[in-house]
Amino acid sequence: MKRNNHLSDQELDMLLNFPEPVNTNLPDDDYQIELNNSQLIALLNKANSLFIEANFEQHNLRFPLYLAHDMPDVISPRLGIPEIYEHATAGQRLWRLDNPTDLELLNSNGETLPFEIINISVSGLLIRDHMLTLNLGERFDGILSGFGIYIPLTGVIVRSKKRKNKSQEWAIRLTLDSNVHEKLQEYIYQQHQVKYPTTDITADVESP
């Protein structure tokens, strides 16, 4: 059979002969994987990134996986904050927090901006206003503020739409640095858990 992959035959054979986890008599809720194959450990460490994906009926949660060497030849997995994708007709798209009533946008002086937040994801923001006129391609700066959060947002206005009630909607593509992106991603993940508590695994997730 033709092998359509980017691994060598030796690397593929190592994965196909993945060793069984060692029984360390740990409690059922404290599972640990032990690997005794140094070549396989080296192969995993060469990866640019590793992920675990949890598929649900409406969403996919994609967790970054970090491998910690707590003991020689023992890998302990650590999960980071996931990106959340919702199933849409055109395929997967990042999950959006709709109509967050406890959030507002502030300017750099801490004053409330006259925008209503329609939805927000880690990549974009949709807002509505009745007074201001923004321009396509214009830079947007604001501070996402609410109970326990204060996240500076930067982006570019990429789309506008006028509604029948004369309000204007503006779509903003966010351009965030890694630290701000992680803070927003963590906040959105927490809100997703509030809305879908049956998928709550917050206690098992940590930042790298």
Side-chain angles (χ1 to χ4, degrees):
M1 179 182 297
K2 183 179 180 181
R3 292 172 172 173
N4 184 18
N5 55 72
H6 299 288
L7 301 176
S8 68
D9 289 345
Q10 181 183 12
E11 291 169 334
L12 182 59
D13 288 339
M14 282 193 295
L15 292 177
L16 293 176
N17 292 284
F18 195 92
E20 292 294 327
V22 175
N23 182 7
T24 55
N25 296 318
L26 294 172
D28 291 340
D29 60 350
D30 192 11
Y31 183 74
Q32 186 178 38
I33 299 174
E34 293 190 11
L35 298 179
N36 298 316
N37 188 321
S38 59
Q39 288 181 304
L40 180 55
I41 293 173
L43 172 63
L44 295 177
N45 281 329
K46 286 197 304 183
N48 292 329
S49 56
L50 296 170
F51 295 92
I52 289 180
E53 186 165 325
N55 296 316
F56 299 93
E57 183 176 351
Q58 295 177 311
H59 307 108
N60 289 2
L61 277 66
R62 194 167 186 251
F63 294 84
L65 176 65
Y66 307 96
L67 303 179
H69 294 256
D70 296 330
M71 298 182 350
D73 295 338
V74 176
I75 290 180
S76 298
R78 301 285 189 268
L79 295 181
I81 303 300
E83 287 193 332
I84 306 169
Y85 296 87
E86 61 183 358
H87 301 164
T89 54
Q92 291 187 351
R93 69 180 182 187
L94 286 167
W95 185 73
R96 305 170 184 180
L97 175 62
D98 291 323
N99 303 311
T101 56
D102 58 338
L103 293 180
E104 61 180 357
L105 290 168
L106 310 178
N107 63 19
S108 58
N109 296 320
E111 301 166 335
T112 301
L113 293 173
F115 299 118
E116 175 189 352
I117 300 175
I118 301 174
N119 62 54
I120 184 170
S121 73
V122 294
S123 64
L125 175 68
L126 184 63
I127 59 176
R128 177 187 297 121
D129 82 85
H130 295 270
M131 297 178 293
L132 297 181
T133 299
L134 304 176
N135 299 308
L136 293 178
E138 180 181 340
R139 175 184 169 125
F140 178 88
D141 293 287
I143 298 169
L144 188 67
S145 178
F147 182 73
I149 69 162
Y150 191 83
I151 303 175
L153 302 179
T154 301
V156 177
I157 299 171
V158 294
R159 190 175 69 253
S160 68
K161 186 173 184 178
K162 195 165 187 177
R163 294 297 184 180
K164 292 181 179 179
N165 60 2
K166 297 184 180 180
S167 67
Q168 190 84 20
E169 293 182 358
W170 305 94
I172 300 165
R173 183 176 64 243
L174 297 177
T175 54
L176 310 175
D177 65 36
S178 58
N179 290 331
V180 175
H181 183 278
E182 185 176 340
K183 289 180 181 178
L184 181 58
Q185 186 171 329
E186 183 174 4
Y187 172 74
I188 288 178
Y189 173 59
Q190 292 171 349
Q191 297 306 305
H192 182 271
Q193 295 309 296
V194 171
K195 188 169 184 178
Y196 301 97
T198 56
T199 62
D200 189 359
I201 53 177
T202 306
D204 299 325
V205 175
E206 60 184 54
S207 298

